[in-house]
């Protein structure tokens, strides 16, 4: 038997980040930049107001208070998207909206709330129309509070400076990065290509998901859970359907997958010790394979090797049991896909939780227990999703976490604090 670490290390030796491609900005979401992003502008590009208010000269309002307001002459308005046509001089103020460029001469913005304009709002003697556009009627404004110079001003370049490396290559693009890239005018960005992943189910017992279940048959669920997991990890699933347990069909379907120019090949079933040797024989004929017993539960049988195509293609032979297939995908296929995408961190985020029930692990294998974790009061608590058999796929469906019990830990007691991997979160 081989440990999870040994198997994973061997698998990952066969993967590296894929080539770069230029994609429309939004297509870069969740992918990894292959270029340094250097700004050719300041962000913001000019000094502007952070508030709706009045652009003033700080020295003019030095002593202002509610009791002793300073009255300034209003010389105009400046809205976002426009520039002031006049300069603010001593004794004057310009009405300014959030995002509008600071007029020349002004060095401070006073919020409406600290001016007489605020008092005007909702004032019973003023009409609704007037209070909407209060400056229309105002030729002067009272400033009710002194403000430090520069108050409520967003300085040019305070977020990003010209020439700055905003995101180094290797950065994963999330919605915030998309927004920054948009502000820099990047309609296209360079990221690692997404891996194409062939998915082939094997077994005479399988029928398509829209077929009736004849005696002795089951539906091919692995193809779909695997394809969904490929999508979640950022890959492109290439669904090849079902290969029957005979040499001709399996060989033909593997070759069809290789013709589809894939970067990774996933099969399910036919790799455990007790299986008829068809799958193993065909994989051995088509590539350089290893068949492992991994010290994990579920997911003990695992095949890995490299198929001889036009280009060599790594193949992971996942176990057939639906839960085992999913856990083996999580342990081996997901890190492989993330590596091809240029990601370097595979671990799911974790949370510490108080286990609500005893878990026995007499298998001497690493036990991937499916759990529900939730907040209770100050703590997180975790309980298993119930029956943990490797055919019980709803035990994964109900789970939002995995509790990994090491191979040398035979028992985890109720009330112990345990670390849970959060299945629905990426790093
Ligand atoms: P095997 O690895 O071939 O021994 O299969 C183990 C178990 O997984 C058997 O009960 C199979 O029927 C089941 N199985 C294999 N392939 C699939 C599949 N694509 N979808 C659902 N169950 C499967
Ligand atoms: Mg089988």
């Amino acid at each position: 038997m081989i440990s999870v670490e040994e198997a994973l290390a061997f698998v990952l030796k066969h993967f590296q980040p894929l080539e770069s491609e230029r994609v429309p900005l939004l297509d870069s979401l969740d992918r990894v930049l292959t270029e340094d992003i250097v700004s050719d502008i300041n962000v913001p590009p000019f000094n502007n107001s952070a508030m709706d208010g009045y652009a003033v000269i700080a020295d003019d309002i030095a002593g202002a208070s509610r009791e002793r307001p300073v009255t300034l002459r209003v010389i105009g308005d400046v809205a976002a998207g426009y520039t002031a046509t006049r300069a603010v001089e001593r004794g004057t103020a310009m009405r300014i909206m959030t995002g509008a460029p600071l007029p020349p001469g002004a060095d401070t913005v006073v919020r409406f709330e600290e001016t007489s304009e605020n008092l005007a709002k909702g004032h019973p003697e003023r009409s609704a129309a007037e209070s909407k556009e209060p400056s229309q009627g105002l030729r002067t404004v009272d400033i009710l509070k002194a403000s430090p110079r520069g108050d409520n001003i967003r300085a040019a370049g305070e977020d990003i400076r010209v020439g700055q490396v905003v995101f180094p290559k290797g950065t994963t693009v999330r919605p915030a990065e998309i927004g920054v890239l948009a502000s820099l005018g990047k309609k296209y960005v360079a990221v690692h290509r997404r891996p194409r992943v062939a998915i082939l189910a094997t077994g005479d017992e399988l029928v398509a998901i829209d077929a009736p279940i004849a005696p002795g048959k089951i539906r091919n669920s692995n193809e779909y859970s695997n394809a969904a997991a490929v999508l979640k990890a950022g890959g492109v699933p290439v669904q090849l359907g079902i290969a029957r347990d005979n040499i001709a069909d399996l060989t033909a379907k593997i070759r069809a997958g290789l013709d589809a120019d894939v970067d990774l090949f996933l099969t399910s079933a036919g790799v455990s010790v007790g299986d008829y040797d068809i799958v193993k024989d065909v994989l051995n004929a088509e590539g350089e394979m290893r068949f492992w017993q991994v010290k994990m539960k579920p997911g003990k049988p695992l095949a890995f090797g490299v198929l001889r195509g036009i280009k060599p293609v790594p193949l992971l032979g996942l176990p057939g049991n639906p839960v085992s297939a999913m856990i083996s995908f999580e342990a081996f296929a997901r890190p492989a896909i993330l590596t091809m995408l240029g990601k370097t961190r595979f671990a799911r985020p974790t949370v510490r939780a108080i286990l609500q029930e005893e878990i026995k692990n007499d298998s001497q294998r690493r036990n991937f227990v499916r759990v529900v974790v939730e907040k209770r009061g100050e703590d997180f608590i975790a309980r298993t999703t119930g029956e943990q058999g490797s055919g019980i796929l709803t035990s994964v469906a109900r789970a939002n976490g995995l509790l990994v019990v090491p191979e040398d830990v035979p028992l985890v007691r109720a009330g112990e604090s345990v670390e849970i991997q959060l299945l629905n979160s990426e790093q």
Side-chain angles (χ1 to χ4, degrees), residues 76-131:
D77 273 72
V78 57
Y82 299 89
T83 53
T85 49
R86 306 178 55 176
V88 171
E89 289 162 4
R90 295 299 301 253
T92 72
M94 191 176 290
R95 206 163 170 270
I96 190 165
M97 298 299 124
T98 304
L102 197 68
D107 58 18
T108 303
V109 170
V110 182
R111 303 185 297 150
F112 284 150
E113 290 85 336
E114 280 144 13
T115 71
S116 51
E117 177 151 342
N118 184 46
L119 300 180
K121 273 186 197 157
H123 196 285
E125 285 141 54
R126 286 181 182 264
S127 73
E130 260 182 320
S131 55

Side-chain angles (χ1 to χ4, degrees), residues 329-405:
F329 184 103
E330 175 76 12
F332 304 107
R334 182 173 172 272
I337 291 169
L338 295 181
T339 299
M340 289 190 275
L341 283 163
K343 301 195 180 183
T344 51
R345 292 195 304 181
F346 313 136
R348 301 275 190 183
T350 60
V351 67
R352 287 212 80 85
I354 299 167
L355 190 60
Q356 301 298 293
E357 64 199 271
E358 178 179 289
I359 293 173
K360 284 207 178 74
N361 180 33
D362 41 24
S363 63
Q364 295 182 328
R365 290 186 272 148
R366 191 168 305 178
N367 194 350
F368 293 79
V369 182
R370 283 79 69 201
V371 301
V372 179
V373 54
E374 62 191 5
K375 192 98 195 264
R376 182 179 294 169
E378 291 297 293
D379 297 315
F380 285 95
I381 59 163
R383 59 193 152 77
T384 72
T385 52
E387 179 55 55
Q388 297 280 302
S390 59
I392 303 194
L393 194 49
T394 54
S395 72
V396 190
R398 278 193 294 272
N400 62 0
L402 273 185
L403 165 57
V404 182
V405 182

Side-chain angles (χ1 to χ4, degrees), residues 278-291 308:
I278 307 279
V279 175
K280 291 178 219 163
D281 285 350
V282 171
L283 293 180
N284 272 328
E286 298 300 307
E288 211 55 62
M289 295 300 304
R290 287 162 197 250
F291 296 90
R308 285 182 289 271

Side-chain angles (χ1 to χ4, degrees), residues 201-202 205-206 218-223 268-272 275 318-322:
T202 71
E205 74 276 37
L206 303 177
I218 59 166
R219 293 214 172 92
N220 168 19
S221 65
N222 286 349
E223 174 183 342
S268 71
V271 293
S272 50
D275 277 309
L318 303 173
N321 278 308

